[in-house]
Structures are given as C-alpha cells and as structure tokens.
C-alpha cells in the first residue's frame, strides 16, 4: 500500500495556477507535520512549504506570497495552491508526511510518488 498519493500536477502557462493534493491512506493513528518539496533535474530536493498538525505554516522565500499550503485533517489530505506560477517552479513535486500508523508506536516520514509541474514561458 502506498501511504501518500498525489494528484493535480500538469502543464500550465506562466502566471497560471495549479492545486496539488496529497492524501494519506491506511490505518492511521496520527499525522503530524506535512509538507511539499520539489526537485528539478540536477538539483537538490528542497522544501517548498510545510504545515504542522495545528496549522502553522512555513514557506520557501521563493514561493511566499504565491503558494498556500493547507490541510484537511478529517480527510488526511494536504494541499498546495500554486498561483502566479513561474518557469522556475518547474519540478517534480513530492508531498511528505510524518505518520504514525496503528501498527506502530512511533511516526515515520513518508513520501508521495511525485507529480510533475511544468510551467511554460
């Protein structure tokens, strides 16, 4: 079973918007921090936005004011609303979550499969 499934990526023109979703599944006790990362070819994976279980958020300087991270705890889902997209936002976007399953006494960090976001100029 894949614990995190992403959707919402695609091709968009500069200035456009996309909304990414990432849903956790399984027998979950708790989900703590969730976040979005991105990785372009030849570059390190970087944190784009993070959100705690209580809703506290943080953003990379490069996306602040354009992207918004949110979560729906009832749906075990985290979202990334991306507005005013730029070509430099082009990357594979991965969600991440610290999840404690019912079979475990501690949480572990899990990654989604990645979704391609391509912004054309």
């Amino acid at each position: 079973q894949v614990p995190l499934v992403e959707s919402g990526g695609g091709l968009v023109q500069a200035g456009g918007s996309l909304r990414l979703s990432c849903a956790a599944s399984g027998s979950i006790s708790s989900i703590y921090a969730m976040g979005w990362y991105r990785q372009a070819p030849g570059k390190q994976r970087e944190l784009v936005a993070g959100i705690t279980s209580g809703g506290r958020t943080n953003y990379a300087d490069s996306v602040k004011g354009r992207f918004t991270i949110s979560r729906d705890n009832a749906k075990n889902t985290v979202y990334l609303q991306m507005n005013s997209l730029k070509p430099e936002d082009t990357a594979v976007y991965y969600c991440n979550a610290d999840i404690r399953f019912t079979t475990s006494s501690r949480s572990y960090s899990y990654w989604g499969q990645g979704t391609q976001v391509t912004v054309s100029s």
Side-chain angles (χ1 to χ4, degrees):
Q1 297 284 355
V2 179
L4 294 172
V5 179
E6 303 176 33
S7 62
L11 175 64
V12 66
Q13 295 184 40
S17 298
L18 286 172
R19 189 191 192 216
L20 306 183
S21 299
C22 176
S25 62
S27 298
I28 296 169
S29 293
S30 302
I31 302 179
Y32 303 99
M34 305 182 85
W36 289 95
Y37 295 72
R38 66 187 181 189
Q39 188 167 27
K43 300 187 70 177
Q44 287 285 103
R45 188 173 299 187
E46 64 173 346
L47 176 67
V48 176
I51 185 167
T52 69
S53 60
R56 187 174 69 252
T57 61
N58 66 284
Y59 299 90
D61 289 341
S62 59
V63 308
K64 190 172 180 61
R66 300 187 297 121
F67 292 9
T68 302
I69 188 170
S70 61
R71 65 191 287 168
D72 185 335
N73 291 330
K75 296 181 178 179
N76 293 329
T77 299
V78 63
Y79 306 94
L80 185 67
Q81 179 66 47
M82 305 185 293
N83 298 326
S84 302
L85 283 161
K86 304 175 181 179
E88 52 262 45
D89 296 318
T90 296
V92 177
Y93 284 70
Y94 298 89
C95 70
N96 177 269
D98 297 326
I99 305 172
R100 178 164 63 90
F101 290 96
T102 57
T103 55
S104 179
S105 62
R106 59 158 290 182
S107 66
Y108 293 89
S109 181
Y110 297 88
W111 291 96
Q113 81 281 5
T115 184
Q116 177 71 47
V117 171
T118 302
V119 184
S120 64
S121 59

